[in-house]
Amino acid sequence: MTTTAKQQWLEQNLKAGELYAGLILGQNGEPDHHLVLLPGEAEEVSWAAAKKFAAGAGGELPTRREQSLLFANLKSEFQPRWYWSSEQHAGYTGCAWSQYFYSGFQDNYGVKSASLRARAVRRLAIQ
């Protein structure tokens, strides 16, 4: 994609305040998608409140894979703190995954009632 074509695509697909994070490759038959970081941030919220914040912003919490991409491409848009992901722990439903945006470390020790930060993303499916 040329610089002009990329700029045109960004202008056509991003809303005010949004940032393009990159491409997520689909797994298990899921389509690939572009990831967009939405403006705004929630501070000191539980996992349930973080999910409500993301929905209210017009998006969702990022998955763990998406958080890795956000860390790689848009780390400067995050505080060096823990942020909720959309994924709860498979074996411990009282816990959810989070990522530390200082080092990129991901962990599932965060009980859903813990007070972490949250950012919302939206996905643009590639047909």
Side-chain angles (χ1 to χ4, degrees):
M1 184 180 290
T2 66
T3 302
T4 304
K6 179 181 176 183
Q7 187 60 35
Q8 184 179 22
W9 186 91
L10 292 172
E11 289 173 3
Q12 291 172 348
N13 289 282
L14 296 184
K15 300 171 186 171
E18 294 182 338
L19 297 171
Y20 181 70
L23 178 67
I24 293 286
L25 300 177
Q27 293 183 326
N28 302 320
E30 297 174 356
D32 299 342
H33 65 272
H34 296 283
L35 187 66
V36 176
L37 179 64
L38 303 182
E41 180 171 304
E43 301 177 24
E44 305 296 321
V45 293
S46 68
W47 189 63
K51 290 174 64 173
K52 287 180 185 176
F53 160 78
E60 299 177 58
L61 292 176
T63 65
R64 293 172 58 204
R65 289 181 67 220
E66 291 168 342
Q67 283 185 321
S68 293
L69 183 68
L70 291 165
F71 181 79
N73 293 342
L74 294 176
K75 179 182 175 184
S76 64
E77 298 298 320
F78 291 80
Q79 298 294 318
R81 304 278 189 271
W82 286 98
Y83 285 79
W84 287 115
S85 83
S86 63
E87 298 179 42
Q88 70 179 9
H89 189 278
Y92 303 100
T93 58
C95 295
W97 287 90
S98 57
Q99 178 161 319
Y100 188 39
F101 271 85
Y102 176 75
S103 65
F105 181 72
Q106 293 183 344
D107 203 345
N108 62 8
Y109 75 85
V111 293
K112 293 178 182 177
S113 61
S115 295
L116 305 181
R117 298 173 93 84
R119 295 290 305 262
V121 296
R122 68 182 179 95
R123 300 164 186 94
L124 300 172
I126 298 173
Q127 304 298 327

